[in-house]
């Protein structure tokens, strides 16, 4: 098969590209490198089965031409900056919702029948049901990011119904692992490297979140595309555990061998739109035979080890 991956030089996208190439697939990567990193696709670019096209998903004509001949589109290009969404409200609309509309139109123009989409557990807002299933009561949105991703899901479902596409919508918890360059582990490692005696924490430390190791995430997506047979397949991806932020801090500090003084700010939420409890029901993806291989603690440690071995990312993400 020929796979078209938007956001191919990003965290999850580049890991997916490597896995597809390792399986002997043909892959076209599409990225504008606004947040993606060329070093993440160095090994891919050495592979004859990989083609890189530098372009923006907001450039409809270039996107349509680049997508020609693909069998499936993996749409990962997005603005993932939940925390600062209120500072630039159009960014989520343009880079998430309008970009997804462009992807779907390019697929329609090229006769491509399958789309796999990186959505988010943030679409559940502050869910009333824990763990939260895919058919939970329709949520009140708490962030522009979550709202934009939910709009993307609606567009995909409508195109599947109206134009005969098949959709795979993946609602992730926070993903960690190699090439992770955004989130609390990234921030805390940077702070503790600069000053191991103190750590500033947004929120009260009792925020409860689930995390998923990136290779487990990719295994889940590949399993779903191979086995799920619906027109629109919506699947939560996560582990069957969660941790408080304070638990994550303890894992990080123990692995780094530091004992900083902690200072907290922001109350039960680290910022406006920060959901204090995210824990997804994953029975649907597990019914297809998938299980995560790493615990949350093991995923956090893999992330720390990668960050320690790749300090150059802090120069890029300063």
């Amino acid at each position: 098969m020929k796979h078209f991956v938007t956001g191919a030089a990003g965290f999850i996208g580049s890991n997916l590209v490597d896995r597809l190439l390792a399986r002997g697939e043909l892959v076209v990567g599409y990225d504008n490198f606004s947040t993606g990193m060329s070093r993440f696709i160095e090994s891919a670019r050495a592979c004859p089965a990989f083609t890189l096209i530098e372009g923006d998903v907001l450039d409809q004509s270039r996107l349509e031409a680049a997508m020609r001949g693909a069998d499936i589109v993996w749409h990962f290009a997005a603005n993932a900056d939940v925390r600062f969404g209120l500072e630039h409200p159009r960014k989520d609309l343009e880079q998430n919702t309008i970009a997804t509309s462009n992807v779907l139109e390019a697929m329609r123009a090229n006769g491509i029948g399958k789309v796999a989409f990186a959505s988010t557990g943030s679409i559940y807002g502050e869910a009333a049901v824990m763990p939260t299933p895919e058919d939970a009561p329709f949520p009140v949105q708490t962030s522009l990011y979550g709202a934009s991703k939910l709009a993307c899901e609606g567009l995909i479902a409508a195109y599947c119904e109206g134009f005969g596409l098949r959709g795979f919508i993946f609602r992730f918890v926070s993903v960690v692992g190699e090439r992770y360059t955004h989130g609390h582990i990234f921030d805390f490692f940077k702070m503790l490297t600069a000053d191991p005696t103190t750590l500033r924490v947004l929120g009260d430390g009792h925020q409860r979140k689930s995390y998923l190791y990136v290779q487990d995430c990719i295994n889940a997506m590949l399993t779903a595309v191979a086995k799920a047979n619906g027109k629109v397949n919506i699947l939560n991806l996560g582990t069957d555990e969660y941790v408080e932020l304070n638990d994550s801090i303890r894992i990080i500090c123990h692995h780094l061998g530091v004992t900083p003084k902690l200072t907290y700010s922001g109350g039960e939420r680290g910022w406006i739109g920060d959901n204090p409890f995210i824990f997804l029901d994953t029975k649907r993806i597990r019914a297809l035979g998938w299980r995560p291989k790493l615990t949350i603690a093991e995923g956090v440690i893999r992330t720390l080890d990668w960050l320690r071995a790749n300090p150059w990312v802090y120069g890029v993400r300063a």
Side-chain angles (χ1 to χ4, degrees):
M1 289 181 66
K2 186 176 181 180
H3 300 253
F4 186 86
V5 182
T6 73
F11 167 35
I12 302 174
S14 65
N15 277 288
L16 174 67
V17 165
D18 286 347
R19 286 287 295 278
L20 292 172
L21 292 172
R23 288 170 22 142
E25 309 280 10
L26 297 174
V27 180
V28 176
Y30 190 83
D31 206 298
N32 68 355
F33 293 95
S34 59
T35 57
M37 300 193 187
S38 59
R39 288 179 68 164
F40 288 175
I41 53 171
E42 279 182 348
S43 60
R45 294 178 82 167
C47 179
F50 179 71
T51 302
L52 174 66
I53 298 176
E54 188 168 347
D56 197 309
V57 284
L58 295 176
D59 185 341
Q60 183 71 47
S61 59
R62 184 164 180 78
L63 178 65
E64 187 175 312
M67 200 182 285
R68 194 165 296 127
D71 298 297
I72 181 172
V73 172
W74 300 81
H75 180 33
F76 288 83
N79 173 53
D81 192 355
V82 186
R83 180 176 161 192
F84 296 106
L86 296 179
E87 295 183 11
H88 35 67
R90 285 197 62 84
K91 186 177 284 189
D92 287 308
L93 172 66
E94 292 172 351
Q95 296 184 12
N96 295 348
T97 309
I98 294 174
T100 298
S101 175
N102 288 352
V103 166
L104 292 166
E105 274 296 283
M107 288 179 62
R108 189 165 72 93
N110 283 295
I112 301 166
K114 289 184 181 179
V115 58
F117 175 64
S119 189
T120 172
S122 294
I123 67 102
Y124 294 115
E126 296 190 14
V129 181
M130 293 293 174
T132 309
E134 291 89 350
D135 57 358
F138 196 83
V140 173
Q141 293 305 302
T142 56
S143 69
L144 295 176
Y145 170 73
S148 70
K149 285 287 191 173
L150 186 58
C152 296
E153 291 192 15
L155 285 170
I156 291 168
Y159 269 71
C160 289
E161 186 65 32
F163 299 113
L165 275 61
R166 289 189 65 213
F168 302 86
I169 295 169
F170 302 111
R171 294 173 178 168
F172 301 152
V173 297
S174 294
V175 179
V176 299
E178 296 80 10
R179 301 177 186 165
Y180 164 101
T181 58
H182 179 87
H184 82 281
I185 306 172
F186 184 85
D187 295 339
F188 288 169
F189 182 82
K190 180 180 180 180
M191 291 183 209
L192 291 169
T193 299
D195 180 3
T197 67
T198 185
L199 184 64
R200 299 183 308 279
V201 182
L202 295 177
D204 60 9
H206 296 297
Q207 302 101 305
R208 293 169 291 175
K209 306 290 176 76
S210 187
Y211 301 92
L212 181 64
Y213 178 56
V214 65
Q215 296 301 332
D216 285 330
C217 177
I218 291 169
N219 286 340
M221 292 189 292
L222 293 173
T223 296
V225 169
K227 294 185 177 181
N229 56 16
K231 181 184 294 183
V232 181
N233 304 276
I234 301 174
L235 299 123
N236 288 339
L237 302 188
T239 61
D240 59 358
E241 59 175 337
Y242 62 85
V243 295
E244 282 198 353
L245 181 57
N246 281 330
D247 297 323
S248 184
I249 291 170
R250 280 190 284 272
I251 295 166
I252 292 168
C253 291
H254 181 265
H255 191 64
L256 299 180
V258 297
T259 54
K261 178 183 177 181
L262 306 181
T263 59
Y264 297 92
S265 64
E268 69 172 353
R269 292 170 182 78
W271 58 86
I272 296 173
D274 177 29
N275 296 337
F277 190 15
I278 297 179
F279 182 38
L280 304 184
D281 185 319
T282 58
K283 292 188 183 73
R284 190 175 289 182
I285 184 65
R286 287 170 181 267
L288 298 178
W290 172 84
R291 297 289 185 279
K293 295 181 180 179
L294 265 61
T295 64
I296 289 176
E298 290 167 338
V300 170
I301 289 169
R302 292 269 186 107
T303 307
L304 290 168
D305 288 343
W306 185 85
L307 290 171
R308 186 151 45 187
N310 293 273
W312 61 268
V313 297
Y314 286 98
V316 179
R317 287 279 189 267

